[in-house]
Amino acid sequence: MHELSVALSMIEGIADSAARDGFERVLAVHVRVGALSGIAPEALRFSWKLASAGTLAEDSTLNIEDVPLVVFCERCGSERKPRPASGLICPECATACPIIVRGRDLQLVAVEVPE
Amino acid sequence: MKYRVVSIEQNILRKNDALAQGLRARFAASGTLVVNLLSSPGSGKTTLLQETLARLSRRRRVGALVGDQATDNDARRLAASGAPVKQITTAAECRLDADMIGRALDGWEPGRLDALFIENVGNLICPAEYDLGEDLRIVLFSVTEGEDKPLKYPLAFNTAQLALITKIDIADAVGFDRDAANASIRHVNPGVSILETSARTGAGMDEWIAFVETLIDRKTAAREVSVR
Ligand SMILES: Nc1nc2c(ncn2[C@@H]2O[C@H](COP(=O)(O)OP(=O)(O)O)[C@@H](O)[C@H]2O)c(=O)[nH]1
Ligand SMILES: [Mg+2]
Ligand SMILES: [Zn+2]
C-alpha cells in the first residue's frame, strides 16, 4: 500500500545514479521484491507509471524479480521455503525457523540506459 | 536500441533506515525510551496507551505520537491522560515512517521524555518494514483475531520484542485458545516476550507497566553513562 512512496524512492535512487554514472534516460529498471516486503508487484507497476512520468525514467519498463520467502531451518541444517501463509515453518520437518534468509528484499538492482 | 546496464544495488528503504538511525541517536542523547506499537485496526492500541499514559505519568515523563489516517479521535482520547500527545495525520499512507516522526518532533516541545509511545497505523504488513528509531517494537493482537494471526503476518511478529495479547477479559466468551496463540507466536519468534492484558479490567497491566519501567530505567542509565 506504500508502493507510490517506494516508486518515488526508486526515482531518487536512479537520479543519484544518473549523476554518478552519466546517463540521461532510462529504458528499463530492475528491482527485487521479497514476499515479505509488503509490496504488491501489480501495485508497484501502477505506481511506477505515475512516479516516473516526466522523469528520466518515463516510459521505462519495470522488471520485477519476485523473491520467495526463504528461512534457515536449524533442525534440517538447510534453507527452506515455507508454504504460503504458514508463517516461518519448515515444510520438511515442521520446525519454527525464525531466521529469515530472503524475502524482505526491496532492492533497486540496475537500470538499462542507452549506449 | 543499444543499451548498457548500470548496476545500482541499493535498498530502496535505505533513506528511511538512515533517518531512523538519526532518530535513534537523538533519543539516545535524551535518554528517551521509544516504543512502536503495531497491530491491526481495533486490537486495542489506543485503549492500552490511554491506560498506560494515565498510570505512568504519575511518576514518569511520557508522551505519545499517534498515526491515524483520517481522524484525530485517538489523539484526543490519549490527550485526556494529561500527557503530551501529537497526532500525525497519515492520509493515504498505510504506515508511519522515520521522516514523519522527525517532522512531528520538530514542531513539538513536550520537554525531555522518559518514554515516547508511537501508535502506528492499524496495519500488520507495511509498518513492519519501517524502522522508526524505536528501542522496543510491540505487536498487539486481541483474543478475537484468530490464534493463527502471527502465521499470516510473520514479519510483524518476527521483528517485535514483545507480543501483547489484548482484551483478555473476553477470552472465555470468544473461546480463545491460549496454547494455540502462544504456539503460533513462538513459531515466528521463539524468543519474544508474551504478555496478556486487558485495558478494560486492568488484568496484566501491572506486569506491562513494570516491563516498560524496567526498560525506561535501563535507557536512562545508559544516557547517564554516556553523559559522564
Ligand atoms: N473487552 C475489551 N475491549 C477492549 C479492550 N481494549 C480495547 N477494547 C475495545 O476495542 C475497540 C478498539 O480499541 P482501540 O483501542 O481503539 O484499538 P486500536 O484501533 O488498536 O487503537 C474499542 O471498542 C475498545 O473499547 C480490552 O482490554 N477489553
Ligand atoms: Mg487507535
Ligand atoms: Zn526443517
Side-chain angles (χ1 to χ4, degrees), chain B residues 39-48 50 74 77 119 166-170 197-201:
Chain B
S39 84
S40 298
S43 301
K45 297 181 294 301
T46 307
T47 312
L48 178 85
Q50 278 179 292
D74 286 1
R77 280 165 65 193
E119 177 175 342
T166 59
K167 311 190 191 180
I168 202 69
D169 55 297
I170 52 172
T197 57
S198 166
R200 187 69 49 86
T201 63

Side-chain angles (χ1 to χ4, degrees), chain A residues 1-2 5-6 9-10 12-13 16-17 21-23 25 27 31-32 36-38 85-89 96-98 100 104 106-115, chain B residues 1-15 92-95 97 123 125-130 137 150-152 154-155 158-159 186-190:
Chain A
M1 280 167 276
H2 49 282
S5 87
V6 164
S9 300
M10 287 166 55
E12 277 180 38
D16 291 348
S17 167
D21 303 306
F23 57 84
R25 205 158 88 74
L27 305 171
V31 292
R32 270 196 295 274
L36 286 191
S37 70
S86 70
L88 307 177
I89 297 174
C97 310
I100 298 170
R104 296 184 62 174
L106 195 53
Q107 187 88 354
L108 178 57
V109 178
V111 289
E112 294 171 19
V113 305
E115 247 333 333
Chain B
M1 187 183 284
K2 288 192 68 175
Y3 67 90
R4 66 186 166 104
V5 175
V6 177
S7 168
I8 300 180
E9 284 297 351
Q10 62 186 211
N11 178 356
I12 297 172
L13 299 182
R14 75 192 196 295
K15 199 166 151 192
E93 296 291 353
C94 44
R95 79 286 180 276
D97 63 28
N123 178 331
I125 299 178
C126 310
E129 279 297 355
Y130 284 81
R137 181 177 285 196
L151 304 182
K152 294 179 181 157
L155 192 62
N158 180 262
T159 57
R186 298 259 184 247
H187 263 139
V188 293
N189 192 342

Side-chain angles (χ1 to χ4, degrees), chain B residues 112-164:
Chain B
R112 196 197 78 80
L113 295 176
D114 294 318
L116 174 66
F117 294 88
I118 303 174
E119 177 175 342
N120 219 310
V121 179
N123 178 331
L124 275 179
I125 299 178
C126 310
E129 279 297 355
Y130 284 81
D131 184 1
L132 304 182
E134 71 264 26
D135 300 288
L136 176 68
R137 181 177 285 196
I138 299 181
V139 61
L140 291 80
F141 91 117
S142 69
V143 295
T144 62
E145 292 175 47
E147 292 81 358
D148 61 348
K149 193 137 197 181
L151 304 182
K152 294 179 181 157
Y153 302 94
L155 192 62
F157 284 84
N158 180 262
T159 57
Q161 293 82 38
L162 172 67
L164 270 188

